[in-house]
Every structure is written in structure tokens, then in C-alpha cells.
Amino acid sequence: MILGFDIGNTSTVMGLYRDESPRPDETFRFDTDKRTSTSKLAGEIRRLLGPREGGNISEINGFSYSSVVPEINSVYDEAARLLFNLEAMGISHLSNLAITLRYKDLSQLGVDRIVNAESAFREYGAPCIIVDIGTAATFCVLLEGGIFDGGLIAPGINTTIKALSQYASNLPPVTFEKPDRLVAQDTVNAIKSGFFYGWISLVSGIITLIEKQYDMQFKIIFTGGLSALVAEHLDREVMVDRDLTMKGIKYIYDLNRL
């Protein structure tokens, strides 16, 4: 069995892979603690795994992670040694990949974007645009042959909702959802409408601009917490894959473990 971790700024997803499938059999989500310790992380992993049906945690023979929080990477390395006597495989731009990275400074390219692009290429082929809506919203362009050609980064939906509430005293935080009316007649729904239709327009507009720049139509692949809600209201076909990152971790692990 293999453990894979998608370490994000807000939350971390742990996946348990029991076979050769890139999709984890089980996933567990917990808050990302940027000040965590090895003992605390190890305790959290033990708690989440607990007694396993169909396999004991002592049977775990692989440990890999994709992290955008580099200050805690060493804690995961140490936890892998402490719990399983394993060397963790931290994914980076130096990992063996099926795709080719075209980026000016590869050390600045987010590992999550690399993992998503690898997964999208393996699962759906290219050319495609990968939209990941999390703490940040990223748009990545993958050209024919698996060439990662860069992309865009915008603040995430919940990040901007919290920021507006924090800096505007009279504007409360809201849930990202479709309001009853586009033109609202109360403050809460006015905020909801601004965020909802603003983000639908932002995502749709960026995709349109990318396709105009390349003078071609792309497959569109969405992932991330709010991806399904946004994709549902776009006026074009979109594939939503909530497991895209976790599948990418397994694909890259398999390519690098030999």
C-alpha cells in the first residue's frame, strides 16, 4: 500500500492506494498546519489510518507527497521514517515526468501545477487547460505532446471572500453560491452575486483569451473544491475531476520508484 499527500496552503489530502490504480481507494482531509511537528503529524496519520480493513498499516511500502508548503516538507520526510521506515518521495520539477515543462524558472513552478498537468496528460491527453480552484486559482496550458506551456494564477474564491470581509467593515462573509437574482436587492445577495457571476465571468473569460492566443480549442479540465459549481455554469463542455491531483501523485510516484 502507498500513502500519497497533496499538501495545500489550507488543507491536506492523504490518499491510500492499495493497488496499481492511480485513484486512491480512500482519502482523508485535514487542515494544513505550517507549524506542525513530526510527532504531531505522525499522530494524525496514525489516527486517520486506524485499523485498516483489508490491510494493516505495516503493509505500507511507499510514501509520496506534492507540497506547496515547503517549510513542512522535512516534517513529512521525518514522519515517513518514523512511522514506516521509508524515505519519502517529495515530488518536484526534478522528478521524472511524462510531460515536458516549459517555464523560465522551474524552481518557482508550483508542484501542484506540475502534478495536475501530469495527471491531465495521462488521463485526458492534450491539448488541454487545467483549472484548479483552491486557495489560489490556477490555469495551466498543456500543449500537444504534453508540453506544459505556463499559465495564470489568480486568488482563490474563498480567499477573496475572506479578504473582502476582513477589509470592508460593513460587508459580511458569504457562501459561494448562485443567488436568486443577478441584480440583488440586499447586501448579502449583492455580495453573493458579485462573487458568483464575477468568478464565472473570470474563468470563462480567461479560457476564451487563452484559446484566442493559441488560435485553437482546448479540452477543459477542472479540479479543486469549488470546481464542480463553477463548471456547472459555464456555457461549454468541461470535465471535472476532483481526484486529479491525487492521481497525479500516484502516476509520478510509479514513474520514479524504480
Side-chain angles (χ1 to χ4, degrees):
M1 294 191 292
I2 297 162
L3 281 183
F5 296 83
D6 172 21
I7 308 167
N9 284 293
T10 303
S11 63
T12 296
V13 178
M14 179 177 77
L16 178 64
Y17 307 84
R18 284 198 176 92
D19 53 36
E20 294 305 309
S21 171
R23 187 188 301 274
D25 292 88
E26 297 179 80
T27 57
F28 312 84
R29 183 179 295 271
F30 56 95
D31 292 340
T32 299
D33 181 356
K34 297 180 181 181
R35 295 177 295 179
T36 193
S37 65
T38 301
S39 60
K40 184 176 179 181
L41 176 61
E44 182 74 358
I45 293 172
R46 283 196 194 97
R47 182 188 69 79
L48 292 172
L49 290 176
R52 307 313 307 154
E53 181 179 343
N56 191 284
I57 63 170
S58 63
E59 297 175 14
I60 290 172
N61 56 14
F63 190 109
S64 184
Y65 61 82
S66 163
S67 172
V68 296
V69 190
E71 58 265 39
I72 60 173
N73 289 1
S74 62
V75 178
Y76 277 81
D77 295 334
E78 293 160 5
R81 297 186 194 104
L82 176 65
L83 287 173
F84 311 110
N85 194 31
L86 293 171
E87 291 299 317
M89 181 187 295
I91 297 170
S92 76
H93 64 280
L94 298 174
S95 301
N96 293 324
L97 303 168
I99 60 173
T100 300
L101 302 176
R102 185 183 287 169
Y103 212 71
K104 288 184 177 179
D105 184 352
L106 288 173
S107 67
Q108 295 296 310
L109 178 58
V111 178
D112 55 335
R113 299 172 69 192
I114 296 172
V115 172
N116 283 344
E118 179 81 9
S119 184
F121 183 58
R122 303 284 199 99
E123 291 280 311
Y124 304 103
C128 65
I129 298 170
I130 305 133
V131 183
D132 185 354
I133 304 176
T135 305
T138 61
F139 300 76
C140 296
V141 175
L142 197 61
L143 300 178
E144 193 72 40
I147 298 173
F148 180 96
D149 204 41
L152 300 84
I153 302 174
I157 294 173
N158 286 329
T159 304
T160 52
I161 289 174
K162 290 176 183 177
L164 180 65
S165 175
Q166 180 180 351
Y167 289 105
S169 299
N170 292 326
L171 300 182
V174 298
T175 302
F176 184 77
E177 60 187 4
K178 184 179 180 180
D180 293 335
R181 299 184 62 191
L182 170 65
V183 180
Q185 295 177 328
D186 64 274
T187 300
V188 168
N189 280 300
I191 300 170
K192 285 184 178 182
S193 188
F195 274 106
F196 185 82
Y197 290 106
W199 271 93
I200 298 300
S201 299
L202 181 148
V203 172
S204 178
I206 288 177
I207 291 171
T208 298
L209 288 171
I210 290 173
E211 291 187 325
K212 184 177 180 180
Q213 175 176 317
Y214 287 91
D215 192 25
M216 63 186 297
Q217 190 170 45
F218 289 82
K219 300 174 189 174
I220 310 299
I221 302 160
F222 272 51
T223 192
L226 293 170
S227 55
L229 181 57
V230 174
E232 179 185 349
H233 292 87
L234 296 183
D235 58 357
R236 63 177 298 160
E237 182 180 355
V238 172
M239 290 171 279
V240 178
D241 190 341
R242 294 288 298 275
D243 293 321
L244 189 72
T245 308
M246 297 308 296
K247 288 191 283 189
I249 290 170
K250 181 62 160 52
Y251 278 127
I252 296 173
Y253 174 85
D254 287 342
L255 198 59
N256 286 269
R257 65 177 170 176
L258 300 178

